[in-house]
Amino acid sequence: MFDDSLLDDSTRIGENDTGGWLRAAAHAGAQVRATAEVAAELGVARMFEERPRALVLLTRPGVGTSVAKLSSALLGPACPVPVVVADELPPWVGALDVVLAHTEDPGDHVLAESIHRAGRRGARVLLTAEPDGPVAASAAGHALLIPPRVPVPQGFGFARAFGGWLVALNTMGLLKTDVGLIADELDREAERDHPMHESFVNPAKSLALRIADRTPLLWGLDHPATAVAAHGAGMLACYAGVVSDVAGYPQALTKSVLHRRAVQSTSAEDLFADPDDEPTGQVRVLLLAVRQGQLAEIARRAAHETLPGADVLEPAEEVTGGDAVCAALLALRFELAALYLGLAAGKLGGPGLYAPAV
């Protein structure tokens, strides 16, 4: 069983955090702010002022896939232009289209080739990546390359990519979001989740406690929430070795046996059960909600009636500013929760302990 007292042992947490991962995650707000500043300096407003024929979001291994899924979900079906999410550049992309891409692998030759072809065809390209390597070389003269201004270890580029893409989407009029407000709220979330704050007042540590020794069922009540759930599952796997189930709630209903276990785990009887008597393989239902409005409220009520004891993660109850703000805050909370869980359990960092795969 996981020793929950370790989460509030800031000395042990600090000793295990040999890579400075908590500090890196806490720089999410600074990454968004710095990326927006670099984008403005490089002329993103001039380059992306016209609305494209189609928007292509390139996904490569790493957090770029999560950013693409979340951006697509935030744009939604009301987006006035087609949105295509692809691993490589589609063959039809031309001068009327816009391509957004992110990578933390400067040697990704597949992405480098896609960026080169997009630029050769005259498409407008925004790329958040390292300033050196084959990817950066492919962007020279063809794309707006936004390099990192706030150095963080590999794997912590979600905020940088999301901030850069939001600037472009705002400029094209496809999404209206206050990027500065996102940066400010991420700073506040990082402060709430500071290692010195105990778990009962620390949202990330509290989330880590809820997940410890359970199989998390990360079920989104709307499309942006499901995209954040996928990012959270990736962080839990990467930094804590935790396997999660991710689905939109309508899809989760079709997983009959797993959903039945979820109902049992959130019933009144289960809530008052003795944890020592629980069988192994218990689940923890986490319902994620990002969007607001009547449809979102109907989805929340329906899920709550079936799963009355489920944890509902709804950032809109804590902050204002819209869906993108709530999604970014929830993504950071999962990153920090995964780090706390991995550090406290000894799965991440520290002398002689496991380290993240390169």
Side-chain angles (χ1 to χ4, degrees):
M1 295 292 289
F2 177 76
D3 184 357
D4 56 12
S5 66
L6 296 176
L7 278 178
D8 290 330
D9 187 344
S10 58
T11 300
R12 171 164 177 155
I13 292 290
E15 290 174 350
N16 283 355
D17 190 8
T18 54
W21 299 297
L22 287 173
R23 180 180 295 274
H27 281 158
Q31 287 196 72
V32 171
R33 196 173 291 109
T35 300
E37 292 172 356
V38 175
E41 293 170 4
L42 295 177
V44 67
R46 180 183 67 258
M47 184 173 179
F48 293 91
E49 60 182 349
E50 294 183 8
R51 183 171 291 178
R53 176 186 64 175
L55 177 66
V56 179
L57 309 179
L58 290 181
T59 61
R60 298 300 301 155
V63 297
T65 299
S66 298
V67 177
K69 289 180 179 178
L70 177 56
S71 299
S72 177
L74 289 171
L75 289 166
C79 183
V81 303
V83 179
V84 178
V85 180
D87 293 336
E88 299 183 37
L89 189 76
W92 48 262
V93 169
L96 299 178
D97 305 312
V98 164
V99 178
L100 304 182
H102 169 80
T103 186
E104 292 176 63
D105 177 9
D108 187 337
H109 292 281
V110 174
L111 179 60
E113 175 60 25
S114 290
I115 297 299
H116 178 72
R117 284 192 284 119
R120 191 175 58 205
R121 296 173 186 174
R124 289 170 288 163
V125 181
L126 183 142
L127 170 67
T128 51
E130 297 293 330
D132 301 308
V135 174
S138 71
H142 299 296
L144 183 66
L145 172 63
I146 302 180
R149 184 170 282 183
V150 178
V152 293
Q154 187 173 0
F156 291 89
F158 180 91
R160 175 162 59 94
F162 190 47
W165 290 21
L166 286 179
V167 170
L169 295 175
N170 279 341
T171 303
M172 291 182 286
L174 301 180
L175 196 65
K176 292 300 181 184
T177 304
D178 188 338
V179 178
L181 178 60
I182 292 177
D184 292 342
E185 290 298 342
L186 289 177
D187 286 343
R188 295 188 186 97
E189 177 66 16
E191 173 57 31
R192 287 191 291 266
D193 298 330
H194 193 279
M196 296 301 295
H197 295 164
E198 296 182 346
S199 54
F200 65 91
V201 294
N202 186 316
K205 287 185 178 181
S206 177
L207 178 57
L209 282 174
R210 300 296 290 168
I211 294 171
D213 293 325
R214 298 280 183 127
T215 298
L217 308 183
L218 309 181
W219 291 346
L221 298 179
D222 51 70
H223 292 305
T226 304
V228 174
H231 177 65
M235 295 298 99
L236 288 169
C238 181
Y239 300 118
V242 173
V243 178
S244 314
D245 181 71
V246 176
Y249 189 67
Q251 181 67 24
L253 289 172
T254 69
K255 302 178 179 183
S256 55
V257 174
L258 187 58
H259 189 268
R260 185 161 60 247
R261 288 183 60 193
V263 172
Q264 293 170 350
S265 72
T266 59
S267 66
E269 293 181 1
D270 185 81
L271 291 176
F272 293 100
D274 184 351
D276 294 332
D277 295 334
E278 291 179 351
T280 58
Q282 287 293 295
V283 299
R284 175 74 68 197
V285 183
L286 301 175
L287 300 176
L288 283 64
V290 168
R291 289 206 186 280
Q292 297 297 294
Q294 184 177 5
L295 291 178
E297 181 59 31
I298 292 173
R300 280 191 288 277
R301 280 203 305 266
H304 184 71
E305 289 175 0
T306 306
L307 305 167
D311 291 18
V312 180
L313 304 181
E314 188 175 9
E317 295 181 344
E318 309 170 43
V319 299
T320 59
D323 297 345
V325 175
C326 294
L329 184 149
L330 198 53
L332 175 58
R333 187 169 297 177
F334 268 103
E335 287 187 8
L336 287 164
L339 288 169
Y340 278 126
L341 199 56
L343 290 168
K347 298 178 180 178
L348 179 65
L353 300 178
Y354 294 104
V358 177

